[in-house]
Amino acid sequence: MDEARPACLTLDLENDWYFDDPEYDHLTFEYLDDYIDLIKRVDVPVSFFVVGKTIEKYPDAIDRLDRELDSEFHLHSYQHDTSKAYDFQAEVRAGKGAFEAHFGYAPTGYRAPQGNIDPAEFAILEEEGFVFDSSVFPSVRPGVYSNLDKPLAPYHPTETEELVEVPIAATPGTRIPVCQSYLKLLGRPYLAYLKYAPLPEPLVFNTHLQDFFRTDSHDRLAQPKRTIMKRNLADSRELFVDAIARLRERGYEFRPMTELVRESAGDAVELTTAGAAKRDASSTESEPVESPIADSQEQTDKSISSDSVVTDSQLE
């Protein structure tokens, strides 16, 4: 039997479209029952990247997701400011404070708003104690990022010593992101494409609550974003269920993000999450993952010795 291909389902837990008006604040949280049912239907673990302000305002919702789903939590900035008109280190520290105050431990994983992270910010994350980042879309988004030169597999950014970047999935060659927003936008033809398209390993499939559930916040979006974000929204949950089934047919097995990081960087990395603790407690015969980091003098301290891992200077 072929070895399972690793995949991870992530969800960015944030305010809908960043509207701060009280009447539009986190409206998708009204659909938590439906979301929990959806995840139980596909039966996969979820790695949440949660905004610090969301933790502070909705701790009960966070606790419910933690309690009812096979899940783990990481940080998604403090305020989800997409302008980047702020001090990055101060933003990260504020997020860490909110995260640790709620969970009782410091976050070890980070994701930047919109996947927009500057090279120098990787070093700040490492300085602040993060083990991994999962911000990079190895694709292009006009006005936000152009990452066509970035690897599709986990790598060490050149600005860091040990931090691992776990990119969000994109198809080799075409570099189309493999995530719910693109699946919703492109619909059934894209689902059919996933049956035959080359796909990366590991495959990080990202989602948002607003990808699944329509609220009044959608109507506040400016055009053409409003039309784009409403496209196939009524069919989004069924598209998601079918996509998870399609990926399983392609040999993917969904795992928590911390497991992907350990497989990429070795079990020497220290990763603490409530979800990981729950899984460790339920396993009486846990086997450590053998570190794939090579001791060979031919390898630099920036590269990870693994067929699925490349350095920042290489393409897929």
Side-chain angles (χ1 to χ4, degrees), residues 22 40 78 85 98 118 124 127 134 186 211 227 230-231 268 293:
K40 288 182 176 179
Y78 176 66
D118 296 333
I124 293 174
E127 178 185 338
S134 184
L186 302 176
D211 291 332
T227 297
K230 286 183 178 181
R231 182 172 167 78
I293 299 182

Side-chain angles (χ1 to χ4, degrees), residues 96-212:
K96 285 175 59 181
F99 190 102
E100 189 165 3
H102 182 82
F103 291 104
Y105 58 87
T108 51
Y110 188 82
R111 177 171 287 163
Q114 294 186 324
N116 189 358
I117 188 164
D118 296 333
E121 292 171 349
F122 290 119
I124 293 174
L125 290 178
E126 187 167 69
E127 178 185 338
E128 291 297 325
F130 288 89
V131 174
F132 75 92
D133 176 75
S134 184
S135 299
V136 172
F137 284 84
S139 182
V140 61
R141 183 173 179 176
V144 182
Y145 53 75
S146 179
N147 295 324
L148 296 177
D149 62 333
K150 294 298 185 288
L152 297 175
Y155 63 97
H156 289 311
T158 55
E159 298 79 13
T160 68
E161 294 296 328
E162 297 181 350
L163 184 87
V164 179
E165 174 61 36
V166 185
I168 298 165
T171 55
T174 57
R175 293 295 184 121
I176 302 173
V178 183
C179 59
Q180 189 62 25
S181 59
Y182 274 76
L183 177 63
K184 181 171 64 65
L185 174 64
L186 302 176
R188 296 280 164 187
Y190 188 54
L191 185 64
Y193 175 64
L194 293 180
K195 185 174 182 178
Y196 303 105
L199 296 173
E201 292 184 33
L203 187 151
V204 177
F205 189 99
N206 192 42
T207 63
H208 302 79
L209 288 177
Q210 54 265 37
D211 291 332
F212 299 115

Side-chain angles (χ1 to χ4, degrees), residues 290-305:
E290 182 179 355
S291 172
I293 299 182
D295 293 327
S296 169
Q297 295 299 317
E298 297 179 357
Q299 298 289 334
T300 70
D301 62 357
K302 292 292 185 183
S303 64
I304 304 176
S305 178

